[in-house]
Amino acid sequence: MSRAAKLEFKHDLGRVVKAFETYPKRAGKAAKQSMSLIGLRWEREMRSTRFAPYSPGGGLIDANPGKTLRNRTGRLKSSIQSRVSGDRLHDLTLHLSAGSRSHRSYAALQEYGGTIQAKNKLLTVPTRFAVDPRGLIKPSATLVPGGGMTATGKDTYVVKASNGNLYLYADDGKPGPNPPLYQLRKSVRIPARLGMRSVMKKVVREETGLMLKNIARSVLPTSTLQSMSKGGR
């Protein structure tokens, strides 16, 4: 009768248990660092690919013909930010935001698109005559709250064009016709252009592999990682 095979395993189990207890914390720290880097890359991608220098739309109405946002004041672009909350793998969250506290609805409108409806009065859509080379409303075209005149004291009036469109003018006191400053509309359709979600999908797709490697490095010995790498070749 052959002798039974016998194996003996001797190890300091206390050290093993202690090592496993640190895994969640170490993995969480590595994951948080990786998620922070993903957030920073998202910020860079947003600022470099989703905003373009201002350029006139080309028509009477200063409409944006492109698929990216024209950078006018720079407030929306500078508000792009990210942060990571939590410390363990199960409660880590990457927060992405755009728009200041008072302009969150504007950022959401640019991200998802939508229609702005006039409420008590018609919407004033600027023409190319109302904006300066930076795309900002000229002082001479700035309207006084309540209507009736511009900030520079010029009286305003409305003219109905032959096609039925309404335009607001300012009397500059000079001979000859005045240029229309605004078109008056009941609603304005805003297309989705900000692209927060599409940029995030791209960044996550390209960075997830590196994030998993960083987590593995935090919990597995270097020798184990090297043997796994060789086995995968």
Side-chain angles (χ1 to χ4, degrees):
M1 182 176 179
S2 60
R3 298 178 61 185
K6 186 177 181 180
L7 296 176
E8 291 185 354
F9 177 76
K10 294 183 179 180
H11 203 287
D12 184 351
L13 294 180
R15 292 177 59 188
V16 174
V17 172
K18 187 174 181 180
F20 274 99
E21 286 178 345
T22 64
Y23 280 5
K25 188 174 182 179
R26 289 155 58 189
K29 182 178 180 180
K32 187 171 186 177
Q33 291 174 340
S34 295
M35 291 176 71
S36 296
L37 292 176
I38 288 175
L40 290 175
R41 182 182 167 188
W42 173 82
E43 291 182 30
R44 291 194 299 270
E45 292 270 350
M46 284 292 298
R47 295 191 180 104
S48 62
T49 65
R50 304 310 305 164
F51 296 86
Y54 174 80
S55 60
L60 175 61
I61 301 301
D62 185 40
N64 184 355
K67 295 183 179 180
T68 57
L69 288 168
R70 295 181 298 176
N71 198 28
R72 297 174 185 262
T73 65
R75 286 195 295 265
L76 182 58
K77 183 178 181 179
S78 63
S79 72
I80 299 292
Q81 59 182 335
S82 64
R83 66 179 180 86
V84 179
S85 64
D87 295 298
R88 300 298 180 97
L89 285 175
H90 68 275
D91 65 358
L92 287 174
T93 304
L94 176 58
H95 304 268
L96 309 175
S97 63
S100 62
R101 184 171 298 180
S102 59
H103 291 84
R104 290 283 166 82
S105 59
Y106 173 75
L109 182 64
Q110 297 296 339
E111 173 66 18
Y112 298 101
T115 300
I116 303 175
Q117 297 285 351
K119 295 182 180 180
N120 299 325
K121 57 183 180 179
L122 296 175
L123 302 172
T124 51
V125 181
T127 69
R128 68 173 185 268
F129 300 108
V131 297
D132 65 16
R134 299 170 298 168
L136 304 178
I137 300 297
K138 297 176 181 177
S140 59
T142 301
L143 301 177
V144 173
M149 67 174 59
T150 66
T152 53
K154 299 176 183 178
D155 293 330
T156 60
Y157 58 96
V158 176
V159 174
K160 187 175 184 178
S162 57
N163 59 5
N165 291 334
L166 296 176
Y167 292 93
L168 187 144
Y169 293 75
D171 186 2
D172 58 12
K174 299 178 181 179
N178 298 310
L181 299 180
Y182 298 92
Q183 186 182 68
L184 305 181
R185 294 184 183 179
K186 293 181 179 179
S187 64
V188 175
R189 175 65 186 173
I190 305 297
R193 286 197 179 100
L194 188 52
M196 293 174 63
R197 293 164 295 167
S198 60
V199 172
M200 190 58 198
K201 287 180 181 178
K202 174 180 180 293
V203 172
V204 168
R205 183 172 62 249
E206 296 175 356
E207 296 290 340
T208 298
L210 180 59
M211 176 179 175
L212 295 177
K213 288 181 180 179
N214 289 337
I215 295 174
R217 290 192 188 101
S218 71
V219 298
L220 296 176
T222 303
S223 57
T224 302
L225 291 173
Q226 290 175 344
S227 62
M228 290 172 62
S229 177
K230 292 178 181 179
R233 291 178 181 175

